[in-house]
Amino acid sequence: MGPRAPSLMGLLRAALDPASHSDTARTPLALLTGRVISTVARADVEEGGMTHLSMLASGISMAAMA
C-alpha cells in the first residue's frame, strides 16, 4: 500500500467504531460511515466499475481484524 494507506486504515477503523455513529443522524450520509461509502460509490459510478467498493470492502475487513 502507498503512503495514503495509514490514514485510510485510520478512517476505516473510525468508521467501524460505534462511538462515531450519532443517534441523531437522520440519513446515512449524516454518519461518517455513510459519507465514506457514498464517496467511494460515486467514484465507481464515474469510472463505470466496482474497483473502489471492492477495495473499501477489503479494507474494512482488514481494519476489523486489526
Side-chain angles (χ1 to χ4, degrees):
M1 294 187 163
R4 294 175 62 187
S7 61
L8 176 62
M9 292 303 288
L11 179 61
L12 292 174
R13 282 191 194 101
L16 290 171
D17 183 5
S20 72
H21 296 181
S22 170
D23 292 336
T24 60
R26 295 179 186 219
T27 68
L29 293 177
L31 299 172
L32 174 60
T33 310
R35 291 192 302 270
V36 169
I37 293 170
S38 175
T39 300
V40 170
R42 288 173 192 255
D44 276 346
V45 167
E46 288 177 10
E47 293 180 11
M50 291 285 293
T51 304
H52 295 79
L53 284 171
S54 297
M55 298 279 288
L56 178 63
S58 297
I60 288 173
S61 65
M62 288 174 56
M65 290 188 283

